Amino acid sequence: GATSNWVSGNSAVETSTIVGTRMTWLGTTADWNTTTNWTPNGIPDQCTDVLIPMTANDPTFADNQAVNSITIDATATLTVGAGGCLWVGSDFTNDGDFILEATATNYAQYQGPQVKGTLSQVIGEAGWHSIASPFIDTKLEDIIFDQGAFLQIDVASKTNIQTYNSSNYQATPPGTWANAWGSWEIPADLTAPFDGSVGYNLYLDSYFMSGTFPVTMSITGTLRNMPLRQELKKSNGGWNQLSNPFPSVVDFDKLYDNSAIGSSYRLWD
């Protein structure tokens, strides 16, 4: 008979879930990267199952971290600072708070299973700003601003939130292909979905706020980790407004099919 090349042992895989090494947060200080903040001593890695209970100091980091799984207990908080990224390979149970912070020049990112979280973005100056949602279950009314900023939908007065409709375009193009000639449309009300299905343009100035810049915009919901279909139109001169529906950057080279969509794009600044 044939001779086996394998030695029997204990499988690290149970019902398709990878089982990693358990590490528990102690919270002597708030620094994720301090070995004595963990038991056993060390820093979690992509093979680690992390437990964050309530402690004197909640963990925070602003670099790149990878773990197998995370459990955040009630009243505990995990904060990813601006410039940091958290990658979770299998499970994420959040009974507390998971926060992705931002500054005027940088922002936190997350890649992993869908989980409740709070994400912030910082708006540094007056004018139009392109915004999108990485959540699957939020609405425009869920956006929270500081500095007394607010959203307003009032066709007869002033409105500061709108979206680009590439299907409803002008009969006559504006003279050059470089100008988009679809229509900017106002949502019916603030219960409109803010779920990544469309991008929005937001306008802020002294009329729409009582404080000063910078303004922090934050929202809480279920962070997306699933495909999202966004239909593109070419009948309006070829311009479409796309949102990034994920809590991390996307690779433009993977967004287009070379047989149908050109490789040129413009960024709103």
Side-chain angles (χ1 to χ4, degrees), residues 18-24 39-40 44-51 67-69:
I18 299 175
V19 179
T21 301
R22 170 72 72 177
M23 294 184 73
T24 301
T39 182
D45 60 22
Q46 64 268 25
C47 295
T48 305
D49 294 321
V50 169
L51 173 62
V67 300
N68 180 52
S69 72

Side-chain angles (χ1 to χ4, degrees), residues 57-111:
N57 297 287
D58 290 316
T60 183
F61 63 84
D63 55 358
N64 295 334
Q65 298 291 338
V67 300
N68 180 52
S69 72
I70 288 186
T71 297
I72 303 176
D73 283 351
T75 71
T77 300
L78 172 60
T79 300
V80 181
C85 181
L86 175 65
W87 180 91
V88 179
S90 58
D91 299 322
F92 196 151
T93 301
N94 179 19
D95 293 321
D97 291 308
F98 175 46
I99 298 174
L100 300 171
E101 293 185 328
T103 65
T105 58
N106 214 336
Y107 50 87
Q109 300 183 64
Y110 166 69
Q111 295 182 0

